[in-house]
Amino acid sequence: MPDTNNPNWPELDKNFVWHPYSAMESDLPVFPVTSADGIRLRLKNGRELIDGMSSWWCAIHGYNVPELNQAVTQQLDSMAHVMFGGLTHRPAVELAAKLVEITPEPLQNVFFSDSGSVAVEVAMKMAIQYWHSISQPRKQKFLTIRSGYHGDTFGAMSVCDPVTGMHTLFADTLIKQYFVESPTCKFNETCTADDVQAMAGALKEHHQDIAAVILEPIVQGAGGMKFYSADYLKQVRDLCNQYHVLLVLDEIATGFGRTGKLFACEHADISPDIFCVGKALTGGYLTLAATLTTNKISDAISRGEPGLFMHGPTFMANPLACSVALASIRLLLDSPWQERISTIEQALIKGLEPCRTLETVADVRVLGAIGVVEMNNAIDMKQIMHAFVDAGVWLRPFGNLIYLMPPYIINESDLNTLTKAMCRVIKKIGPT
Ligand SMILES: Cc1ncc(COP(=O)(O)O)c(C=O)c1O
């Protein structure tokens, strides 16, 4: 058995631990971190890094947040976990009520699960079960746009971009869904009939087989970090209504302020039939996600056959996670979050501008607290990760995308350090 008190524990990592999207035998660096506070991650060698990732969109308040620490420890004093079948508890009930209050009407019912991918599975099952319940069992397929990403489980993988969505390998195993090109109309642009033509055409042709359209609203994350027009989203909502197809919005990455609105669908002033949140829900403390839906859908499922929604994870509505989620939402809503996001947005626009003229850079784009530098070619991960850590910042690019989405509490000086380091490193690494 490995000695877990071994001061050389990072060495054991290589032998025993598999990291996300990585190989056990790899020469890519994995940096041992021993603590995190505010917006700084402290490595085992004492080096401090300014966090530009919010731990993959989650840690919106930064790390070691007194209010969130307190929510967890207080909850721990009463109960860490109980099963949710046949039992309920205040943290889950209060969190569900809060989510209903802050998400678009008429979302009214909350189903908790343990991760974003599972929340998407739940959403897909809800959509299929809804149509089954109202005697339209043929509607089992999903329609989505290219460059999307919705998670790593099988249902979620089936609606990820077949190429950039990282799951090409499983193509033959996955359920075949319908895909159309992602919109070319960018954020803040209006959409022409041409932009929605592909979506309209697919709905016209296949609506009898389609349970729902599923989209990441406004920002496509891990499938390409693209920002598209709110007008497109609005028109898709109308098309879904016209063709009797549900609309599932996956706000797992965009939710809780990241794009400048509390939820990205507010840019388009629309409401989905099914809605997924996760990631920043707990401020990055514990794993929790939720799928929300309307009374229309839950009523149909209750009245249909078999009269129950067929899903129920073991750790559903974990009390520690629900308590910290509630504290995180309160902390966010009590903070000047809109001002903060707008300040970050301005600083990112200014700070990343110098990258635009580099010949290795294809595009620079910013929306809310998200800044993206798209390179012409894929990045040498080993080289760039060392360069970022040497520069005292934590960024984790993928493919040809280098992006940052810092905790909302970041100050101007740290943000300046982040963007300067990012531009400097991009300039230094040169063409690949
Ligand atoms: C939009 C979106 N949906 C779903 C997921 C999956 O969430 P999780 O990694 O918690 O399963 C992600 C994760 O990056 C995401 O960005």
Side-chain angles (χ1 to χ4, degrees), residues 127-128 130-131 134 136 138-144 178 199-215 235-249 271-274 296-297:
I128 292 173
Y130 167 74
W131 293 113
I134 61 166
Q136 296 207 45
R138 196 175 139 189
K139 287 168 86 71
Q140 304 235 350
K141 294 278 185 193
F142 291 84
L143 168 62
T144 187
Y178 295 112
M199 178 64 74
L203 279 167
K204 188 172 178 199
E205 196 175 343
H206 303 294
H207 66 95
Q208 283 166 333
D209 297 331
I210 297 175
V213 168
I214 179 166
L215 297 176
Q235 296 197 43
V236 171
R237 173 70 277 183
D238 291 344
L239 285 166
C240 287
N241 292 346
Q242 184 186 340
Y243 286 105
H244 302 289
V245 161
L246 301 178
L247 178 62
V248 177
L249 290 184
S271 178
D273 301 289
I274 303 178
K296 179 179 137 187
I297 291 178

Side-chain angles (χ1 to χ4, degrees), residues 106-111 126-127 129-130 133-134 246 273-274 291-304 307-309:
L107 297 167
Q108 189 73 26
N109 307 286
V110 182
F111 192 98
M126 258 180 203
Q129 203 176 323
Y130 167 74
S133 300
I134 61 166
L246 301 178
D273 301 289
I274 303 178
T291 306
L292 284 83
T293 194
T294 62
N295 282 341
K296 179 179 137 187
I297 291 178
S298 62
D299 286 354
I301 290 174
S302 308
R303 289 192 205 112
L308 316 163
F309 179 54

Side-chain angles (χ1 to χ4, degrees), residues 57 115-118 120 149-152 216 222 250 252-253 279:
W57 315 79
S115 72
S117 302
V118 177
V120 169
Y149 178 79
H150 296 281
D152 291 352
E216 295 157 277
D250 173 353
I252 288 158
K279 289 192 182 274

